[in-house]
Every structure is written in C-alpha cells, then in structure tokens.
Amino acid sequence: MRNRFGHGIQLYLKENQSLFLFTIVLFTMGIIFGAVLVNSLDLSQRHELLGFLNYFFSNFDKSGITDSSLHFQQAFGYHLKTILILWVLGMSIIGLPMILLLLFLKGIIVGFTVGFLVGELQWKGVTFALLGVLPQNMLVVPAMLIAGVAGISFSLRLVRTRLVTRRDSIMPHFAHYSILVGSMFIILIAAALLETFLSPLLMQYAIN
C-alpha cells in the first residue's frame, strides 16, 4: 500500500511538473513584487505600520495569545475558506486564472511581510520572520501550491473532456482531485496548530 501510494505521488508529480514549475515561479514573482512594494511606501505609511508593529510587539510580549482556542478557530476558518475557494475554482474552466491570481497574491503577502520586517528591523526582523512567519508557512505554502496545481490540472482536464475529446469520464479525476485537496486541508490544519501553539512561543522568544 505504501509503495503504491508513493508511486502514485511520483507519477502525479511527473505528470504535472511543468505546472509545479510555473506556479513556483509565479509564487516567487509574487514574493519579489511584495518585497519591492515595501519600497514604494511613503514615510507616513512606514511610520504607521511600524507603530502598529511596535504596539503588537509590546502587547504580545506581555500577554501572548490570550485565547488560544479562538485564535485556532480563526486560523482554521481562514484555511478552510482558502482551500474551499481553490477547490471550487478548480471545478470551473474560468476559475483557472483566479487560482493563479490567489497564488500570486499569497506570494505578495509573504514577500511584503518579510520585506517590511527585514527593512525596518534589520537582523531583528530576520529573526522574527524566521521564528514567527516561517514555521506555519512551511506547511501553508506547499499545501496551497499543491492544491493550486491540482485545481489547474483538473480545470485543464475539464477543457479537454468537455470541449475537445468529450470521451473521458471526469468523475474518477474529480474524486482524485477532491481527495488531494482534502489531504492539503489536513496539512493546513497542522499549520493552524503551529500558528496557534508553536509560533507564539517562538515570537515571544524573538521579541525578548
């Protein structure tokens, strides 16, 4: 069973390697754009964001996350909405560009966050980014990329089966697509747990 599962994963990666390469490049472009976007902020915007950041640091250092269960529910809800949106977009032909846009926007958010922290706080910002931003995103980003590629692949298959060949049955592919996206949601739940229980401890360490 394990060998069969591993072989299936290898086959899936091989079949979609061009899509993975494209989405990784797109996500990387989003990161670069987000980092460049930091430089476009004027002085007042920088001061406003830095003031909010200092306020967050001071309050977080004193109390941390006051309600862990509420924080987990919010993170869980956010990841659930994200994965559902990707899943629904993958089931429509017109949803393909929206999937690419979502992955690009995720790259912009990561690039802007890290770029602002490093630009304003230098090495302290690097430490905070590594301890406070990186852990959960090590799970979130791959899960989003895999779910996004699965959605793009299924959307392209819809084009072939509905507009080109009209022969291939779509239901087995839909089942595989849904199972894969569901597996990525499990990974996002693990990311929500990290964000709720591990990242706050690491952030407090970074702040101190």
Side-chain angles (χ1 to χ4, degrees), residues 10-198:
Q10 290 178 358
L11 184 62
Y12 176 78
L13 293 175
K14 186 176 181 180
E15 289 177 349
N16 297 281
Q17 60 182 353
S18 59
L19 287 179
F20 275 108
L21 180 61
F22 178 76
T23 53
I24 290 172
V25 170
L26 182 70
F27 180 77
T28 305
M29 289 174 59
I31 292 177
I32 295 172
F33 184 80
V36 172
L37 198 62
V38 175
N39 297 325
S40 66
L41 297 175
D42 58 36
L43 193 59
S44 62
Q45 290 173 322
R46 286 177 177 270
H47 280 307
E48 185 177 352
L49 285 174
L50 192 59
F52 173 78
L53 196 62
N54 287 328
Y55 175 79
F56 169 77
F57 283 161
S58 61
N59 282 274
F60 192 85
D61 186 33
K62 295 176 182 177
S63 57
I65 293 181
T66 54
D67 192 343
S68 297
S69 61
L70 178 61
H71 185 87
F72 175 75
Q73 291 175 13
Q74 292 173 342
F76 178 87
Y78 172 77
H79 292 316
L80 177 62
K81 287 187 289 186
T82 301
I83 206 72
L84 283 177
I85 289 172
L86 287 173
W87 181 63
V88 171
L89 290 175
M91 291 189 291
S92 63
I93 297 172
I94 61 174
L96 193 152
M98 297 302 297
I99 294 175
L100 297 176
L101 179 61
L102 283 176
L103 296 178
F104 184 72
L105 288 175
K106 179 61 177 178
I108 290 177
I109 293 171
V110 173
F112 183 86
T113 303
V114 175
F116 182 78
L117 287 172
V118 174
E120 295 298 323
L121 303 177
Q122 285 79 43
W123 285 108
K124 293 180 180 179
V126 173
T127 303
F128 187 79
L130 288 175
L131 298 181
V133 179
L134 182 62
Q136 60 266 28
N137 277 294
M138 288 180 67
L139 296 178
V140 171
V141 171
M144 283 192 64
L145 289 176
I146 292 173
V149 167
I152 295 170
S153 177
F154 186 73
S155 182
L156 293 175
R157 191 174 294 276
L158 281 176
V159 174
R160 291 194 294 267
T161 56
R162 293 293 179 265
L163 303 180
V164 182
T165 62
R166 296 181 179 272
R167 295 178 182 177
D168 189 19
S169 175
I170 199 65
M171 288 309 297
H173 302 291
F174 173 73
H176 293 155
Y177 168 55
S178 299
I179 291 172
L180 181 59
V181 173
S183 301
M184 293 306 101
F185 178 58
I186 293 174
I187 294 177
L188 290 177
I189 293 176
L193 290 171
L194 277 178
E195 185 179 340
T196 303
F197 298 105
L198 177 62

